[in-house]
Every structure is written in C-alpha cells, then in structure tokens.
Amino acid sequence: MTEPKYQPEHTFNWKGALALIVGMIAGTSVVSSINVISIFVFNTNFQYSNFYLMVVNAAGFLGAIFTYDLAIARPQTGQKLGFNLSVTDLSTHLIIFPFMFGMMLIAEFITSQIPISGPFFGPFYEFFQNLMANMTADKKTLLVMAVVMAPLFEEIIFRGIIQKGLINKGMKPAAAILIASVVFGIVHGNPWQFVGAVLLGVVLGLVYHRTKSLLLPILLHAFNNLCSALLIFYGDTESLAEVFKVSEFKVLALGIVLFSVFYYLFSRKFSVKHSEK
C-alpha cells in the first residue's frame, strides 16, 4: 500500500514577519493612493467614511496574508497557504466558550488594576479613549470590523501563520503560543488592551493547537469582541463589573472558577495530540 505523500508546511521566521509588515503597508497604501486620486480627480474624500474605514482595514490584513502566501508559504511548501476550518462537535463548544469567558473575566480584573491617571498613564489613556471614540460612531461598522473582520484576519495571522509557523519550525507549542499572544497584545498599542489580548491570545492559541481547527479561535475571538461591543453600546464601558454593579473581586472569582473547571474538561477531552490532516 502506497503511503500518502508528505506535504511540507510553512515555517515562520524574520522573513515571514517582514512579509507580513510589508504586505500590510502595501495593502493600506494602495487604498490610500486610490483615495488621493479620488480627491484630485473627483474632489471626493472617502477618508472619514465608514466604508473607507472597513476597506482600508481589510486591505491591510489581506495584503499581509497574500504577501506571506506568495513570498513565504508557496516557496517553502509548493502550495498555497491553507487552514483547517473544520467544524467540531457540540460538546467542544460547550467547553471552550465558558473556558474563554472565564479568561475574559480574569483579564478584566487584571486590566482594571492598570492606572488610568497620573503623569504618564493619564494623558496616554485620554489619547487612547479619544482615538477609539473618533474612529466611528456607527454601531454597524464597529460590529462588522470587531466581530467579523478582526477575528477572521487576526486569527489567520497570529494563530494560523505565526503560531503554527513557529511550531512547524520546531519551537515548543507553549513558547509559540506565548510569542504569538505577546505580539498580538503589542499590536493593540496600549497597556489596557495589551493585558487582555495576551491572556485571551493564550486561550485562543491553546484551543487552536489542541483542536487543530482555526474556526474555533475565530468564533471565540468574535464572541469576546461581541461582548465588548455590547458592553460599550449599552453600558458605555467594557467592564462587566461596572455594568452589573458587582465587585471586581467577584468577577475575578467567577473567572477563576470558570477557567479552572472548563480548562480541566478541555484538557481531558483533548489530552492526546490530534492530527490536522
């Protein structure tokens, strides 16, 4: 019986990082150039429209992914970049969503301990708040960007490309998950989102590594962002403790219980290494 032919998988290194950065710059530059042409030729500036905001965001991510595919993945493997998006059983979803929610509560507590006033944090926090407020006031646009686009594109890049590429290179999974999560936190550009992004990135990375399906971290990421968006829309804050007027320590306690219980169930269910093929 003929054994199936081995298919090489992409590995991630500094060249891959450079490809992602160049691709993102190129993608956003193309859209920006088109807008400049529109200003001079048609006297129309799309820069502050919700449609332009979504397009330039998508162009940056798509530019990064396509550049990595063409410059790194295909030369290394001889095939286009691809990801497993298989659907798992219902029991897996019943475990990973409370698991994720527990970490969300823990992340909220830790984030709440970061100062928002003082000579350094005060001006930085005010700048960050103004930046977020000035992006767009349109709820539909924010939902599309935060709940659809960000989970899809960011999980492809941080889990599907960086984390998986580091593991394929021979790095220990724990180290690869941590590196991808820290980079994920850094690109958010502020200490308040950094903490949550790193902690949640660890859960997303662990789920992806154990289940081998990129669909699950995409869904979990969308769930996290949807919760944040709804809190902002209806409570004018991302804090569950503030919205429901409960102690931050109660939020932390609930988070620890949920995280511990469902991590145990998750680790038992995926205690052996599953094949991605």
Side-chain angles (χ1 to χ4, degrees), residues 15-16 18-27 60-75 81 161:
K15 293 181 181 179
L18 182 61
L20 290 175
I21 295 171
V22 170
M24 180 161 284
I25 294 173
F61 282 117
L62 289 173
I65 295 168
F66 286 144
T67 301
Y68 185 88
D69 180 31
L70 295 174
I72 306 297
R74 297 196 190 201
L81 191 64
I161 291 178

Side-chain angles (χ1 to χ4, degrees), residues 205-227:
L206 181 60
V207 169
Y208 178 46
H209 177 63
R210 291 289 183 87
T211 66
K212 307 304 178 186
S213 173
L214 192 61
L215 177 62
L216 296 183
I218 290 174
L219 293 177
L220 290 174
H221 194 153
F223 170 69
N224 173 74
N225 289 6
L226 176 61
C227 290

Side-chain angles (χ1 to χ4, degrees), residues 4 6 20 26 35 63 71 91 101 103 111 126 130 136 142 146 164 166-167 169 202 218 220 230 248 253 261 265:
Y6 169 73
L20 290 175
N35 187 54
S91 63
F101 187 63
M103 181 57 88
T111 300
E126 184 177 354
N130 291 335
T136 177
L142 285 176
K164 183 181 177 183
L166 290 173
I167 294 175
K169 190 180 179 183
V202 169
I218 290 174
L220 290 174
L230 292 177
E248 294 174 347
V261 170
L265 296 175

Side-chain angles (χ1 to χ4, degrees), residues 143 147 224-237 243:
L143 284 174
V147 183
N224 173 74
N225 289 6
L226 176 61
C227 290
S228 295
L230 292 177
L231 287 172
I232 292 173
F233 292 160
Y234 301 106
D236 199 29
T237 177
V243 170

Side-chain angles (χ1 to χ4, degrees), residues 136-187:
T136 177
D138 184 66
K139 293 181 179 180
K140 293 180 180 178
T141 300
L142 285 176
L143 284 174
V144 170
M145 292 180 63
V147 183
V148 180
M149 294 171 60
L152 176 61
F153 294 138
E154 291 177 3
E155 290 312 302
I156 288 176
I157 290 176
F158 292 101
R159 256 54 68 179
I161 291 178
I162 297 178
Q163 177 182 308
K164 183 181 177 183
L166 290 173
I167 294 175
N168 291 340
K169 190 180 179 183
M171 183 177 290
K172 291 183 178 180
I177 290 171
L178 181 59
I179 289 174
S181 300
V182 171
V183 175
F184 180 53
I186 291 173
V187 300

